[in-house]
C-alpha cells in the first residue's frame, strides 16, 4: 500500500464510545515496551506518528490511525505494565476486551512479542483470549536487531512453544531499526483490507 495520508483520527479512553468506522480495522496488541509505537511508525514511514517512549505504559488509550481513508490501524494500550496500579491495569484490560468484542470492522490482530524473551503470562493470556474471540493472531517478533542472526529460529520456536501456538500460525520477525519484516506485515494487512 502506498501511504498517501495517515492521521490519528480518534483516541478512546476507558469511558469513550468507540467510533462506528466503515473501513476495515487492523489491531496491534502487545506488552508495554514491546516496540508497538516503533512498529507503527516504521509501517507508516513516519518518525513520530505514534509516540515512542523509554517509559513503558505510554499508550493508555485506543488510538485509531486512518490510512488513506481505506483502513484503520488500531493501537491498543500496552498490557502488563508493572508500575500501573491494579485498577488502571483492569481499566485497560476492560477497554481492550470491549474493543475486541464490539468492533464490527476488526479484521485481524497482530500480537507483538519481544523476540529476546519467552512470552510472559500476560502474553499467553492475550494470545488465548484473541483465539477465544475467534481470531487467529499474527505474531510479530519485535526487536530482531537485538539478537544474533543464529539465535532467530531458536527464539521464534521459544515464542511459539511459550504461547502454545500451532505450527501454522503466522510469525513475522521484525526490526524497527532495519525495517526487516515491514513489507511482510503490509502484505498481510493488504490481504485483509483488499481481500
Amino acid at each position: 500500500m502506498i501511504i498517501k495520508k495517515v492521521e490519528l483520527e480518534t483516541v478512546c479512553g476507558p469511558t469513550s464510545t468507540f467510533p462506528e468506522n466503515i473501513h476495515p480495522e487492523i489491531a496491534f496488541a502487545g506488552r508495554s515496551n514491546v516496540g508497538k509505537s516503533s512498529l507503527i511508525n516504521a509501517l507508516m514511514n513516519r518518525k513520530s506518528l505514534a509516540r515512542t517512549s523509554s517509559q513503558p505504559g505510554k499508550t493508555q488509550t485506543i488510538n485509531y490511525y486512518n490510512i488513506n481513508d481505506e483502513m484503520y490501524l488500531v493501537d491498543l494500550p500496552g498490557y502488563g505494565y508493572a508500575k500501573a496500579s491494579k485498577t488502571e491495569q483492569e481499566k485497560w484490560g476492560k477497554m481492550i476486551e470491549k474493543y475486541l468484542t464490539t468492533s464490527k470492522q476488526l479484521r485481524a490482530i497482530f500480537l507483538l512479542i519481544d523476540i529476546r524473551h519467552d512470552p510472559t503470562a500476560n502474553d499467553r493470556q492475550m494470545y488465548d483470549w484473541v483465539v477465544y474471540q475467534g481470531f487467529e493472531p499474527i505474531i510479530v517478533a519485535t526487536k530482531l536487531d537485538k539478537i544474533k542472526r543464529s539465535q532467530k529460529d531458536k527464539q521464534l520456536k521459544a515464542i511459539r512453544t511459550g504461547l502454545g501456538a500451532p505450527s501454522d500460525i503466522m510469525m513475522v520477525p521484525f526490526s524497527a531499526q532495519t525495517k526487516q519484516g515491514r513489507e511482510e506485515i503490509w502484505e498481510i494487512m493488504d490481504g485483509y483490507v483488499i481481500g
Side-chain angles (χ1 to χ4, degrees):
M1 182 180 280
I2 295 156
I3 300 165
K4 300 183 190 79
K5 168 194 145 174
V6 59
E7 62 182 0
L8 176 56
E9 188 174 286
T10 315
V11 175
C12 293
T15 55
S16 310
T17 307
F18 297 141
E20 296 267 339
N21 291 324
I22 55 169
H23 302 301
E25 294 171 3
I26 308 269
F28 285 76
R31 221 158 38 84
S32 285
N33 227 8
V34 73
K36 207 151 36 69
S37 300
S38 301
L39 170 75
I40 290 167
N41 289 331
L43 285 174
M44 300 306 145
N45 270 334
R46 301 289 198 279
K47 279 266 187 291
S48 55
L49 182 69
R51 281 201 312 248
T52 56
S53 165
S54 53
Q55 293 296 110
K58 199 76 186 141
T59 308
Q60 299 175 7
T61 49
I62 294 181
N63 299 332
Y64 292 78
Y65 294 94
N66 179 339
I67 303 166
N68 295 348
D69 291 324
E70 282 174 36
M71 67 173 284
Y72 286 94
L73 194 152
V74 182
D75 183 11
L76 300 173
Y79 54 80
Y81 174 44
K83 286 208 179 83
S85 70
K86 262 274 180 275
T87 348
E88 250 183 319
Q89 284 185 32
E90 275 168 21
K91 251 194 254 167
W92 300 342
K94 283 203 176 82
M95 192 161 62
I96 294 171
E97 187 174 339
K98 187 174 137 193
Y99 169 73
L100 294 181
T101 50
T102 61
S103 168
K104 292 183 178 70
Q105 294 296 344
L106 181 59
R107 297 289 181 268
I109 300 165
F110 284 81
L111 179 58
L112 279 59
I113 309 278
D114 187 330
I115 198 165
R116 298 171 298 178
H117 311 294
D118 288 352
T120 63
N122 280 325
D123 289 329
R124 279 194 301 278
Q125 199 178 349
M126 189 69 186
Y127 172 81
D128 290 343
W129 204 77
V130 168
V131 170
Y132 175 74
Q133 291 303 324
F135 289 94
E136 193 174 89
I138 299 122
I139 310 299
V140 178
T142 61
K143 311 199 180 193
L144 179 63
D145 50 284
K146 304 266 195 274
I147 62 166
K148 290 193 182 86
R149 198 172 287 170
S150 58
Q151 295 175 296
K152 186 178 88 173
D153 291 341
K154 183 174 137 294
Q155 291 306 108
L156 290 174
K157 191 173 179 231
I159 290 174
R160 198 181 290 281
T161 309
L163 292 174
S167 58
D168 62 347
I169 203 123
M170 262 194 277
M171 286 184 97
V172 183
F174 175 80
S175 162
Q177 296 298 310
T178 66
K179 306 281 192 290
Q180 188 179 333
R182 179 182 184 272
E183 295 310 312
E184 208 177 325
I185 293 170
W186 264 118
E187 246 169 67
I188 296 167
M189 293 205 300
D190 280 346
Y192 283 101
V193 175
I194 298 156

